[in-house]
């Protein structure tokens, strides 16, 4: 491209057409991904695009392709509706939909405090960026927010949705399915809906944790479960208890947590009060394991000398722990990338069947067990 051309403004379709020796209409078809264009002509147009430095106008392109080239990444939960919140507490505190400190702000803060969600975003962004697409982060913790997500998708502002639910009673997957919108879920939904999803073999991961603790010689083992109304929390507990029972341990002390560090600390306090002689702990995620380790040290227990601790996820919390945490790896970034691939495949073939992809866990041995 000459200096005169550069000074005249950004390169146009006509510039590309002249460089490729084809018509403007042919260039438009190639740029917009229209099929049935001769491969040699496609290559000539691509080379001309490179030479001229032409960049497609996204707004104009969307008129042709009817695509936004954007994906909604939705973090969703059942949420507490304003009426219910006022009726339960009677405090008159600001509700979620008014943006009070106890509402959507705290939900967002909880999301960003959990390293799991950052790993999901990384996997999605790394997959979309080379394809010229972008995620739009949305939160759906109330009925109004869920309606806004569905309306956003129906209007074509995003081509489809990647949904990460934080609560078993989340109605958003069913709302999206009923609206006939393209979506893929991270984790199997608690209630069956015709939407594709990726997930982990959670019970197998818990089995790895149990076998490792038993292999170390631990015999007085307890577990801090995740919330049992969440499929992953229930599955990890089921897998752990089943494996322990198969090895002759029919009773395992359990304290339920909420996948947060604070809940792990509280659960560990309860377990130590009721079972001061325990020598092994499996926590259903790394944040709860981190909290458990803090409490164990405060009570004068060495890790792993007195009590061995195993977590789940292999998140940044596992490396922040002292000693570094032995944990069951959940390949979140790879799962998020696969979730994104499934959605793009769905967009390319809208009539294709829904599907599921289950990833295998892996035990990562470090200093805590």
């Amino acid at each position: 491209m000459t200096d005169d051309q550069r000074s005249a403004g950004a390169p146009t379709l006509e510039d590309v057409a002249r460089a490729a020796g084809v018509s403007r209409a042919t260039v438009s078809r190639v740029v917009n991904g229209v099929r049935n264009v001769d491969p040699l002509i496609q290559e000539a147009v691509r080379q001309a695009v490179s030479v001229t430095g032409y960049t497609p106008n996204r707004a104009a392109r969307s008129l042709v392709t009817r695509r936004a080239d954007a994906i909604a990444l939705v973090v969703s939960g059942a949420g507490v509706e304003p009426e219910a919140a006022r009726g339960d507490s009677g405090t008159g505190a600001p509700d979620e939909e008014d943006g009070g400190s106890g509402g959507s702000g705290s939900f967002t803060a909880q999301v960003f405090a959990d390293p799991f969600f950052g790993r999901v975003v990384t996997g999605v962004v790394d997959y979309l960026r080379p394809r010229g697409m972008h995620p739009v982060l949305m939160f759906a913790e109330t009925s109004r927010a869920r309606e806004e997500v569905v309306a956003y998708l129906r209007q074509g502002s995003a081509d489809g949705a990647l949904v990460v639910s934080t609560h078993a009673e989340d109605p958003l997957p069913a709302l999206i399915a009923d609206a006939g919108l393209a979506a893929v879920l991270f984790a199997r939904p608690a209630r069956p809906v015709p939407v594709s999803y990726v997930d982990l073999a959670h019970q197998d991961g818990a089995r790895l944790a149990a076998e490792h603790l038993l292999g170390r010689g631990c015999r007085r083992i307890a577990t801090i479960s995740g919330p049992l109304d969440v499929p992953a929390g229930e599955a990890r507990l089921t897998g752990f208890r089943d494996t322990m029972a198969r090895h002759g341990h029919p009773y395992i002390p359990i304290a339920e947590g909420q996948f947060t560090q604070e809940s792990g600390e509280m659960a560990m306090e309860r377990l130590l009060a009721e079972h001061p002689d325990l020598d092994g702990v499996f926590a259903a995620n790394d944040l709860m394991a981190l909290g458990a380790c803090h409490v164990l040290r405060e009570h004068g227990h060495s890790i792993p000398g007195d009590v061995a601790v195993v977590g789940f996820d292999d998140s940044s919390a596992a490396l922040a722990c002292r000693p570094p945490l032995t944990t069951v790896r959940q390949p979140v970034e790879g799962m998020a990338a696969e979730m994104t691939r499934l959605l793009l495949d769905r967009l390319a073939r809208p009539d294709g069947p829904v599907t599921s992809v289950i990833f295998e866990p892996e035990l990562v041995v470090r200093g805590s067990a």
Side-chain angles (χ1 to χ4, degrees):
M1 190 173 179
T2 67
D3 291 338
D4 289 341
Q5 286 174 308
R6 288 192 183 92
S7 64
T12 65
L13 283 178
E14 286 78 6
D15 296 326
V16 177
R18 281 194 295 269
V22 298
S23 69
R24 183 187 186 282
T26 298
V27 173
S28 178
R29 294 177 67 197
V30 173
V31 168
N32 291 309
V34 178
R35 297 180 180 180
N36 301 322
V37 178
D38 183 276
L40 293 177
I41 295 177
Q42 290 186 42
E43 181 59 28
V45 171
R46 292 192 186 101
Q47 290 182 6
V49 167
S50 178
V51 169
T52 60
Y54 171 75
T55 301
N57 182 299
R58 287 190 175 275
R61 182 182 176 187
S62 67
L63 293 175
V64 177
T65 64
R66 298 184 181 273
R67 290 286 179 85
D69 282 344
I71 297 297
L73 175 55
V74 186
V75 183
S76 180
V80 178
E81 300 305 323
E83 295 79 10
R86 285 192 290 267
D88 290 343
S89 67
T91 62
D95 60 51
E96 291 188 22
E97 300 199 46
D98 290 335
S101 61
S104 59
S106 64
F107 177 80
T108 305
Q110 290 172 10
V111 168
F112 285 118
D114 191 331
F116 166 82
F117 295 103
R119 297 175 67 191
V120 171
V121 172
T122 297
V124 170
V125 170
D126 286 351
Y127 192 89
L128 287 177
R129 181 180 290 160
R131 293 160 177 81
M133 302 183 73
H134 308 280
V136 178
L137 183 60
M138 305 182 75
F139 296 94
E141 73 283 13
T142 65
S143 60
R144 187 164 71 188
R146 287 186 286 272
E147 291 170 1
E148 290 172 353
V149 168
V150 173
Y152 189 82
L153 295 170
R154 277 180 164 156
Q155 292 164 3
S157 300
D159 298 319
L162 303 168
V163 181
V164 183
S165 287
T166 62
H167 198 286
E169 297 302 317
D170 181 12
L172 184 60
L175 291 174
I176 289 175
D178 290 344
L181 299 167
V184 178
L185 312 180
F186 193 109
R188 173 175 58 89
R191 297 179 180 177
V193 291
V195 179
S196 296
Y197 65 83
V198 300
D199 206 350
L200 186 77
H202 296 283
Q203 292 194 29
D204 291 345
R207 173 181 56 80
L208 294 174
E211 290 176 345
H212 183 73
L213 289 170
L214 291 169
R216 284 185 53 89
C218 298
R219 292 298 178 265
R220 298 177 301 281
I221 301 173
T223 184
I224 301 173
S225 77
L228 298 181
D229 61 350
V230 174
E234 190 276 334
R236 293 175 192 181
L237 177 60
T238 298
F240 189 77
R241 295 178 68 183
D242 181 68
T243 302
M244 294 297 293
R246 290 171 183 266
H247 286 82
H249 296 266
Y251 170 70
I252 302 298
I254 301 167
E256 183 177 354
Q258 296 299 318
F259 284 148
T260 64
Q261 181 175 334
E262 182 182 19
S263 71
E265 293 173 352
M266 296 173 63
M268 192 71 253
E269 290 282 6
R270 291 197 299 273
L271 288 171
L272 281 178
E274 298 171 6
H275 308 277
D277 63 341
L278 58 83
D279 62 2
V281 175
F282 166 55
N285 84 335
D286 292 341
L287 282 176
M288 294 192 301
L290 180 62
C293 287
H294 286 172
V295 170
L296 287 169
R297 286 196 301 271
E298 288 176 354
H299 283 264
H301 296 286
S302 66
I303 305 169
D306 297 329
V307 183
V309 179
V310 177
F312 203 112
D313 282 340
D314 195 24
S315 66
S316 58
L319 296 178
C321 191
R322 293 294 176 266
L325 194 63
T326 292
T327 185
V328 177
R329 175 164 176 73
Q330 178 174 205
V332 175
E333 295 86 352
M335 294 168 70
E338 179 63 13
M339 175 174 63
T340 311
R341 186 195 70 78
L342 289 177
L343 179 59
L344 296 188
D345 187 63
R346 183 73 172 175
L347 293 172
R349 286 175 284 277
D351 297 329
V354 297
T355 188
S356 58
V357 178
I358 307 299
F359 284 72
E360 296 300 324
E362 175 187 357
L363 183 71
V364 179
V365 179
R366 298 193 180 98
S368 69

